[in-house]
Amino acid sequence: MKNKRFMKYISFSLILWVVLLFSCDGMYDNLEKYYGEDVYPAKYDTVIGHIGYQRVEIDLLKAGRIPSGEIKMGKAKKTVIKYDDIVKEIDGLVSWVNITGLDQTKLYRFYIYTLDEYGNESVPQEIALIPFSEDDRQALVVPSPRITLSPSSAVVEWPNGLSSVLLNYISLKYEYTDKDGDVKTGEIEEGENPRFFVSNLASDTSYPVKVTYTVIPIVGDEEILDEVEFEGEITINVPSETGTFIPSEQNILTANGITDFTFGATAGITKLTYPVSASSLQDVFYFGDLEELDLTGGNLFEVETLTYSNVSTTVGGGKIQPFMRNVAPVSDTDALRDLLEAGQIKKNNLYSQLHGTG
C-alpha cells in the first residue's frame, strides 16, 4: 500500500515538474515583444510656420500661444529644436518658438520635439521654411515717382502710392545736398502721402536724393512678420531757364502780366495775385523767387459773379469787402504748403493778405 502511494507521489511530482518546466520557458513571451522599444513622451500637436526677416516663428499647439505654465503634456519636460547642425534645448514646454539668425538664402528644415526627465524623445514635428533673407531685401524695388520740376526745386510724389503686390509701404526718409552744400533731410511718416519737396537747387544741374523706404514685404499672399528698410536713389535733373511749363491757371498768370511760360521769364517775380475763386495753386511752384501771394484778388480780380438763368439773377461781383470771408483754394494747395514750409513765401505777407493784419 505504501509502495503504491509512493509511486503515485513520484508520478505526480514528475508530471508537475514537466509542466512547470515548459510553463517557465514561455512565461515572459508577452513581454519579449516590448523588449528594446522606447517609451515616448507626448509630442506637440501641430506645426505652423510664419516667416520674418532672417527668422521664423513656429506655432506648436492647436490651443494657440499660451503661457508655458498652462501647458500639460504628460511626462514631457523640455523642448528641443534641431536644424542644420544646430540643436537648441529649451528647459520647459512652449506653445511657439522664435528662431533667429537665419541669414542664409535657403530652405531650412526644422525638427521640434519634447524630452522627458530621462532624455527620451517624442516623435518630432517637422517643417521646412525659407526666411526672408538679406538677398530678398536687396532685391526690393518701388515704383518710379512722378517728379515735377522748376529751375530751383522739385516735388517727388507717388500719386498711386508705393504699395504693390510685393510689399506694403509704411514710411520713408530722404536726404540730399542743396546748391549751398547743406545736407537736407526729411521724413514722411506712416499714414502720410508719399510726397516730398526738394528746394534750393541750381538750374541745369543733377541732384541725387537718397531715399530709405520702410515696408512690409509680401511673400505669396501674406505679409512677413517684420518691417524692412531698404535704400534707393532718385535723380533730380533740374531744368535750365529755357525750359517751359504748362500753366494750370493761364488766365490768372496772364492777368499778373505773365505771358512767357519759360522758367527764365518767371525769375525775379516776387509777388502773384490770385482771385478767391481760383481752383488751383499749382503754378506758384514754378516761380523760384516768389515771396508774396495775395489770395484776395487785390486790384486784379473782382469777386466772382454767379448767374442763375432760371430766375435771371446775377449774384456777386465787385471788390472783396472786409466782411467777406477770404478762402484759399482747396485744390493743389500742396504747392503753396511746400513754399511756406521751405520759407520761400514769407508767412507774414501771406497772413496780411488773408487777415489784414499788416
Side-chain angles (χ1 to χ4, degrees):
M1 189 69 176
K2 288 182 178 180
N3 288 335
K4 288 182 177 181
R5 288 180 179 178
F6 178 75
M7 291 301 295
K8 280 185 178 182
Y9 176 76
I10 293 298
S11 298
F12 178 77
S13 297
L14 181 61
I15 294 171
L16 181 61
W17 180 82
V18 171
V19 170
L20 289 175
L21 177 64
F22 284 99
S23 297
C24 289
D25 286 343
M27 68 182 296
Y28 295 108
D29 286 349
N30 290 334
L31 295 178
E32 284 182 355
K33 61 183 179 181
Y34 298 106
Y35 178 76
E37 290 195 4
D38 294 327
V39 179
Y40 295 104
K43 71 172 185 176
Y44 288 111
D45 62 12
T46 192
V47 59
I48 301 173
H50 314 276
I51 68 171
Y53 177 58
Q54 297 187 341
R55 72 183 185 100
V56 298
E57 291 183 5
I58 302 175
D59 289 302
L60 298 169
L61 291 179
K62 294 178 180 178
R65 297 186 176 186
I66 59 178
S68 295
E70 298 179 11
I71 302 174
K72 307 298 181 184
M73 295 176 60
K75 297 183 180 298
K77 301 297 182 182
K78 296 182 179 181
T79 302
V80 177
I81 306 165
K82 292 178 65 176
Y83 60 96
D84 292 348
D85 297 326
I86 298 173
V87 179
K88 296 183 178 182
E89 185 174 301
I90 301 173
D91 188 15
L93 303 177
V94 293
S95 58
W96 67 284
V97 292
N98 176 31
I99 306 171
T100 60
L102 308 177
D103 55 4
Q104 298 183 48
T105 305
K106 70 169 198 173
L107 183 145
Y108 290 84
R109 193 170 297 277
F110 302 94
Y111 301 88
I112 305 174
Y113 53 88
T114 64
L115 296 176
D116 64 15
E117 59 183 321
Y118 303 109
N120 294 315
E121 301 176 359
S122 72
V123 176
Q125 289 284 15
E126 178 182 345
I127 190 170
L129 297 169
I130 304 176
F132 196 84
S133 68
E134 175 62 16
D135 290 341
D136 296 323
R137 188 184 75 86
Q138 294 290 347
L140 288 172
V141 294
V142 297
S144 297
R146 182 177 70 187
I147 302 176
T148 307
L149 297 165
S150 82
S152 61
S153 59
V155 171
V156 181
E157 58 188 337
W158 290 263
N160 298 320
L162 276 164
S163 296
S164 68
V165 295
L166 298 177
L167 56 85
N168 283 328
Y169 162 76
I170 304 299
S171 62
L172 66 81
K173 300 175 183 177
Y174 60 92
E175 178 182 314
Y176 67 97
T177 302
D178 68 11
K179 68 179 182 181
D180 297 327
D182 296 328
V183 177
K184 304 292 185 180
T185 61
E187 181 175 358
I188 308 302
E189 297 181 352
E190 183 174 355
E192 296 181 338
N193 291 331
R195 178 187 186 281
F196 59 89
F197 180 62
V198 181
S199 62
N200 195 30
L201 309 179
S203 63
D204 201 18
T205 306
S206 294
Y207 290 84
V209 180
K210 185 178 75 173
V211 184
T212 302
Y213 305 93
T214 300
V215 302
I216 301 178
I218 298 173
V219 177
D221 295 327
E222 295 186 4
E223 294 182 341
I224 72 167
L225 297 169
D226 306 305
E227 293 183 359
V228 174
E229 285 190 352
F230 70 99
E231 292 183 357
E233 185 174 282
I234 298 170
T235 300
I236 306 294
N237 295 310
V238 183
S240 67
E241 293 186 353
T242 60
T244 60
F245 66 95
I246 299 174
S248 299
E249 297 279 9
Q250 183 172 338
N251 292 336
I252 293 176
L253 296 185
T254 300
N256 280 269
I258 301 162
T259 57
D260 182 359
F261 302 114
T262 63
F263 294 124
T266 66
I269 296 176
T270 59
K271 179 179 178 180
L272 288 175
T273 300
Y274 271 67
V276 173
S277 58
S279 60
S280 173
L281 294 176
Q282 178 62 39
D283 293 336
V284 301
F285 168 74
Y286 302 113
F287 291 79
D289 296 322
L290 187 66
E291 295 182 355
E292 185 177 345
L293 185 63
D294 183 346
L295 296 176
T296 70
N299 296 321
L300 295 180
F301 303 97
E302 293 189 344
V303 177
E304 183 180 16
T305 59
L306 301 175
T307 301
Y308 298 90
S309 58
N310 58 333
V311 293
S312 301
T313 299
T314 299
V315 179
K319 302 289 184 181
I320 191 166
Q321 302 299 317
F323 60 84
M324 295 181 181
R325 182 180 179 186
N326 302 332
V327 181
V330 295
S331 175
D332 292 335
T333 54
D334 283 336
L336 175 58
R337 184 190 65 184
D338 291 335
L339 298 180
L340 286 169
E341 292 179 350
Q344 180 175 323
I345 294 182
K346 307 301 187 291
K347 292 187 177 182
N348 287 339
N349 289 347
L350 178 64
Y351 289 156
S352 70
Q353 296 296 335
L354 290 176
H355 306 293
T357 56

